[in-house]
Amino acid sequence: MLRTATDGDVDIIRDLRNQQPNRDVSINSHEIGADEHLAWWAKASVDPTRRVLIYERDGVVAGVVNFFDLELDASPKTGAWGFFLDAEGLAERGETLPAWIEVMKDATAYAFDELGLDDLYGEVLEHNTVVRQMNRRFRFVEGEPETRYSDGREITVLPISLNKFNRRKPKGNS
C-alpha cells in the first residue's frame, strides 16, 4: 500500500535511505545528516512537482517512493521516480522479493493510474544488475549509459523509461 508521507515519517525516511544497502545503489551514497534531510523535506513536502509516498506492507513501513519532476499539465504528462526499501527489515522477515515486486506494481500503477502519466523516467546504476533485471521485467527500457562523479566516486548511470502503453497491466485488467 502507498500513502502520502507526512511530517511524522521524516525520521524513518532518513533511516531507510541511510541503510548501507540503499546507499550502495544510490547516486548520492553519503550518509545523510539530520540537517540535510530536514532541508530536503522542507522543500520536497511543498513541491507541487513531487510526491513522496510511504510504502507499507502489512501495516509496517517498508519503503519510500519518490516521484519528482512531475509535468502533470504538459502533453505528454511525464515524471521521474525512484524508491528504496527497508532492506534490513525486509531481509530479516524474508520479504524482500515479494515487497520489491509489490512496490513496483503499486508505484507504476500510481504513476499511470493516479497521476495519469504518459511516460515515467528514472535512473539506475550500471552495477545494480538485480534492479536492472527487475526493471526489464516491468518493461522499463534502458537508455545510453552516462558517466558521472558523485561522492568522490565515478559511477555509470543508465536512464530508464516506461510508456503507459508498454507497462505490464495489473492482473484482471485488459
Side-chain angles (χ1 to χ4, degrees), residues 15-25 61-64 84-97 99:
D15 289 344
L16 296 182
R17 173 58 182 81
N18 277 336
Q19 288 181 1
Q20 193 63 50
N22 292 329
R23 291 174 43 214
D24 289 345
V25 294
V61 174
V64 179
F84 48 92
L85 294 173
D86 177 5
E88 295 166 1
L90 290 167
E92 286 174 12
R93 296 187 299 277
E95 297 179 354
T96 302
L97 184 59

Side-chain angles (χ1 to χ4, degrees), residues 26-79:
S26 296
I27 291 172
N28 297 306
S29 63
H30 68 280
E31 187 165 339
I32 297 168
D35 290 343
E36 178 184 1
H37 185 66
L38 288 173
W40 167 81
W41 177 250
K43 290 179 184 175
S45 64
V46 297
D47 183 345
T49 69
R50 179 180 286 273
R51 304 290 185 280
V52 180
L53 306 174
I54 299 297
Y55 166 62
E56 291 185 346
R57 185 169 172 76
D58 299 324
V60 177
V61 174
V64 179
V65 178
N66 282 296
F67 289 97
F68 53 96
D69 296 338
L70 294 172
E71 296 285 340
L72 301 178
D73 295 328
S75 183
K77 294 181 180 182
T78 62

Side-chain angles (χ1 to χ4, degrees), residues 156-167:
T156 302
V157 180
L158 296 161
I160 59 169
S161 63
L162 179 63
N163 179 272
K164 69 180 179 182
F165 296 115
N166 296 332
R167 74 187 263 217

Side-chain angles (χ1 to χ4, degrees), residues 51-163:
R51 304 290 185 280
V52 180
L53 306 174
I54 299 297
Y55 166 62
E56 291 185 346
R57 185 169 172 76
D58 299 324
V60 177
V61 174
V64 179
V65 178
N66 282 296
F67 289 97
F68 53 96
D69 296 338
L70 294 172
E71 296 285 340
L72 301 178
D73 295 328
S75 183
K77 294 181 180 182
T78 62
W81 82 305
F83 75 95
F84 48 92
L85 294 173
D86 177 5
E88 295 166 1
L90 290 167
E92 286 174 12
R93 296 187 299 277
E95 297 179 354
T96 302
L97 184 59
W100 191 5
I101 292 169
E102 184 176 64
V103 75
M104 288 196 68
K105 283 181 185 176
D106 290 355
T108 54
Y110 184 90
F112 296 115
D113 301 333
E114 297 293 320
L115 295 175
L117 298 183
D118 297 302
D119 294 295
L120 180 60
Y121 299 100
E123 296 179 321
V124 63
L125 297 182
E126 182 179 54
H127 74 267
N128 197 348
T129 54
V130 176
V131 167
R132 292 176 63 196
Q133 197 170 35
M134 183 67 80
N135 286 343
R136 284 190 290 274
R137 179 179 177 169
F138 276 81
R139 300 187 179 154
F140 281 88
V141 175
E142 291 182 351
E144 290 298 314
E146 175 186 325
T147 300
R148 294 189 199 162
Y149 297 89
S150 179
D151 292 335
R153 64 193 174 127
E154 181 179 291
I155 54 175
T156 302
V157 180
L158 296 161
I160 59 169
S161 63
L162 179 63
N163 179 272

